[in-house]
Amino acid sequence: MKKRITSLFLAGLLSLSIITGCGKSEEKKTEATTTEVTTEAATETDTEAVATVNDANGTKTKDRAGNDIVIPEKVDKIVSMAPSTTHFLIDLGLADKIIAIDTNSYAYADSLPKDVKQFDMMEPDNEALVALEPDIVFTSGMSDAGGVDAFQSVRDAGICVADIPSSTSFAEIAEDMKFIGSAVGEDVEAAALIEEFNNKHEMVEKLGKDVTEKKKILFMISLPSAEYPSIYTFGKGTYLDEMITDIGAENVTGDQEGWISITEEEAIAMNPDVIITNIDYIDDVVNVIKSTEGWGEVNAIKNDAVYYIDATTSNQPNNHTVDALIQMAKLVYPDVFDVFEDPFASPSDAE
């Protein structure tokens, strides 16, 4: 069962060192999401621009959780404990500097050194991680699940650990990328990726304002079963809700907050015009949803408006999340968003 739940959310996502490490103050950290089902759940973050002050030991700043840290002057050995961060670091051209990843980043293993180590993001082997002598370790909200700092002994060893809680909006995703780029000395390359990300997002928002038919969307992150009868979805305060709003549609659970579960009966009663899912642990999930008993009178089923969007880009908050946004927009309002190319089309599709 753990494999199933983990597959739902690959996310997108930590004692002050005297010399070259980084760490946090003694203030209590923001509590992260407490279950693996809510990997992308809202967490309070300091979204102000990163302010840095150079000193002889490195760069004093704050990580995305608002902890005081000191980043080493030179970062050559990186550990990434979140798939969203791993993918972004690869995009920055730093694959050769990544010496360890979380087990959920296995999808990017082909782009990384063959000897890259893997650790459980929630229960890492800190002794083995410290032995690698990384310059910086990026963690996510999942590494702090339940309020327990899974990397405390890494901090205690004087190694730089920078926390990036799960983003709740596109603006926060951009700030995360800015922080990571600054931390690894790739500000210019990060700025270029952020600019592209923001431009596409702003264009979707602009076109979304022209939508006249506000379709009601149910986003299914899980399917009900005998073991887990609820449907996991989300309300406002999440970047997925922002995606639905930006394309000019309405989230049927948008009157609620954060990551939620609803009963199958509640979902049917909401009568969505469109059903979106990013479930990738079930084969042919769209037809499975269409053929579910009791859903025949739901508008989305009657009108054949059930769509799958890419799990990786919608689950992992980074520069690729905008591709999931565009994919959703084109599926729900193909005429409005026809100016965009399909971000997931293969080269042969264009021929």
Side-chain angles (χ1 to χ4, degrees):
M1 196 61 221
K2 182 178 180 181
K3 180 179 180 182
R4 173 176 179 262
I5 296 298
T6 300
S7 71
L8 298 180
F9 305 96
L10 293 177
L13 226 12
L14 299 153
S15 99
L16 185 62
S17 173
I18 298 177
I19 305 179
T20 59
C22 74
K24 64 177 182 179
S25 66
E26 292 303 314
E27 297 177 0
K28 181 179 179 181
K29 291 177 44 172
T30 301
E31 184 174 345
T33 172
T34 58
T35 67
E36 201 162 359
V37 170
T38 53
T39 299
E40 304 294 353
T43 55
E44 292 187 22
T45 60
D46 182 354
T47 57
E48 296 180 358
V50 175
T52 60
V53 180
N54 292 322
D55 69 7
N57 299 323
T59 301
K60 292 181 180 179
T61 185
K62 290 182 180 292
D63 65 16
R64 290 291 292 143
N67 303 310
D68 292 323
I69 61 174
V70 180
I71 297 174
E73 289 182 333
K74 191 174 182 181
V75 174
D76 288 323
K77 298 167 70 176
I78 303 171
V79 171
S80 173
M81 289 289 103
S84 55
T85 301
T86 303
H87 200 179
F88 184 60
L89 289 168
I90 292 171
D91 288 347
L92 290 176
L94 299 175
D96 61 329
K97 292 188 177 183
I98 299 175
I99 61 172
I101 57 175
D102 65 288
T103 52
N104 289 325
S105 291
Y106 69 91
Y108 309 117
D110 289 345
S111 300
L112 300 172
K114 294 186 177 180
D115 59 349
V116 68
K117 307 298 182 185
Q118 295 188 34
F119 295 88
D120 187 316
M121 65 165 65
M122 300 177 72
E123 297 180 351
D125 182 340
N126 282 334
E127 185 177 352
L129 202 158
V130 169
L132 294 175
E133 299 182 339
D135 297 311
I136 190 167
V137 177
F138 291 108
T139 65
S140 73
M142 284 301 295
S143 299
D144 208 20
V148 177
D149 184 354
F151 291 87
Q152 185 59 56
S153 52
V154 179
R155 300 179 191 283
D156 294 342
I159 292 173
C160 176
V161 182
D163 189 24
I164 306 175
S166 300
S167 298
T168 63
S169 67
F170 273 65
E172 287 188 3
I173 293 172
E175 285 297 326
D176 292 344
M177 293 188 287
K178 180 180 178 181
F179 169 76
I180 294 169
S182 176
V184 297
E186 294 290 344
D187 303 77
V188 175
E189 183 62 30
L193 293 173
I194 294 168
E195 182 179 15
E196 180 182 12
F197 171 84
N198 286 336
N199 287 343
K200 289 180 179 179
H201 179 220
E202 289 167 6
M203 189 171 180
V204 170
E205 283 185 296
K206 182 179 179 181
L207 292 172
K209 287 179 171 57
D210 295 331
V211 170
T212 56
E213 181 187 6
K214 193 172 285 293
K215 295 180 181 180
K216 297 189 300 180
I217 295 179
L218 169 65
F219 197 118
M220 300 178 71
I221 298 174
S222 72
L223 297 185
S225 65
E227 187 178 5
Y228 293 95
S230 297
I231 295 171
Y232 289 101
T233 184
F234 50 83
K236 55 190 173 184
T238 61
Y239 68 83
L240 286 171
D241 176 73
E242 183 179 355
M243 287 169 59
I244 292 175
T245 301
D246 286 347
I247 69 171
E250 176 188 346
N251 180 4
V252 294
T253 54
D255 59 337
Q256 302 185 56
E257 291 276 354
W259 302 85
I260 60 176
S261 63
I262 58 176
T263 66
E264 191 171 2
E265 291 74 18
E266 287 173 326
I268 292 172
M270 290 173 181
N271 194 23
D273 301 308
V274 178
I275 294 175
I276 301 286
T277 185
N278 59 1
I279 295 171
D280 62 355
Y281 61 86
I282 292 176
D283 293 334
D284 198 15
V285 65
V286 168
N287 282 321
V288 170
I289 293 172
K290 287 180 181 179
S291 60
T292 301
E293 185 177 355
W295 286 68
E297 293 305 309
V298 172
N299 284 340
I301 306 298
K302 290 194 296 185
N303 298 324
D304 198 27
V306 181
Y307 308 114
Y308 169 84
I309 66 169
D310 183 67
T312 298
T313 53
S314 58
N315 282 334
Q316 299 176 18
N318 58 26
N319 51 310
H320 296 282
T321 305
V322 74
D323 293 331
L325 171 65
I326 292 170
Q327 184 184 27
M328 179 193 291
K330 288 180 68 66
L331 288 169
V332 179
Y333 298 111
D335 294 337
V336 176
F337 295 97
D338 61 353
V339 296
F340 286 104
E341 297 292 333
D342 181 353
F344 299 98
S346 64
S348 59
D349 294 336
E351 295 177 359

